[in-house]
Amino acid sequence: MTSAPLSTARPQAPDAVAGVPPWLNRIAVLASLTVLPSCLWRLAIAAGVPMGWGPGSDLHHSYYPGRESLVLVFVTVLQECLGLLSLGLVRRWGEQLPGWIPRLGGRRFHPLVAVVPAVLGALALTGITFLGAATWSEVNAANPDAPTGPALWIFTLSYVPLLMWGPLLCVLTVAYWRRRRLHG
């Protein structure tokens, strides 16, 4: 009895684009995951979990859960959706409209439709996150209700991955632009 050789190739996403190297797919997944820790942190606050903010802060657990939680959930869902758009730069749905869209489904769109928002997003994300990181200690020192101790570490570890989102999105955007220019 002979056995078939085991395949070492990883299965590709069903909407994968030919010509996208595996390392670029990994960057897209990583870019989309950079938002997850801060989203989970924000959802914990929305659920009323004490995250170290003092009673003078709008993020103090005594305000949650409640109506204010809806804002945090909305921001979290929006941020997750924007993070997942990074995958569109290496997937088929980032080059043509999905078939379920009436009259337009299946049509390819011009690369600039994706490139312009991605470049603007990458620049904004990089600027906002690096400015936030550079000024965090000043902001923290000026706010007596900001988290300290372990709560500060949890907050910091939740937001540090966002520093990678902008640069990773930039790499994905350049690769997308080059691929679409060369291959249509």
Side-chain angles (χ1 to χ4, degrees):
M1 184 168 175
T2 61
S3 63
L6 295 175
S7 174
T8 57
R10 291 186 179 181
Q12 290 227 347
D15 60 347
V17 174
V20 174
W23 65 268
L24 203 55
N25 279 306
R26 287 191 292 276
I27 286 179
V29 170
L30 181 61
S32 69
L33 290 175
T34 60
V35 302
L36 189 58
S38 61
C39 288
L40 293 174
W41 181 86
R42 198 177 304 108
L43 288 175
I45 288 179
V49 175
M51 297 300 281
W53 292 91
S57 169
D58 290 342
L59 295 176
H60 189 259
H61 65 274
S62 64
Y63 296 115
Y64 304 96
R67 232 180 22 219
E68 293 81 7
S69 297
L70 295 176
V71 173
L72 295 179
V73 170
F74 173 77
V75 169
T76 297
V77 169
L78 178 63
Q79 185 178 353
E80 278 296 328
C81 289
L82 291 172
L84 289 171
L85 283 175
S86 302
L87 294 171
L89 297 171
V90 296
R91 300 286 193 273
R92 192 174 308 125
W93 54 268
E95 296 183 5
Q96 72 183 41
L97 295 170
W100 53 265
I101 297 176
R103 295 190 198 151
L104 300 175
R107 290 188 186 178
R108 291 178 61 83
F109 51 84
H110 195 280
L112 289 178
V113 170
V115 169
V116 170
V119 166
L120 294 174
L123 291 173
L125 288 167
T126 302
I128 290 167
T129 56
F130 279 86
L131 180 64
T135 60
W136 171 245
S137 60
E138 297 165 22
V139 171
N140 192 31
N143 184 352
D145 292 310
T148 58
L152 175 61
W153 280 103
I154 292 170
F155 174 80
T156 302
L157 291 174
S158 297
Y159 276 84
V160 161
L162 287 178
L163 291 169
M164 295 185 306
W165 190 13
L168 291 174
L169 183 57
C170 185
V171 169
L172 290 167
T173 304
V174 169
Y176 176 89
W177 174 249
R178 291 182 71 208
R179 185 180 74 253
R180 291 292 307 273
R181 274 191 36 224
L182 294 175
H183 305 292

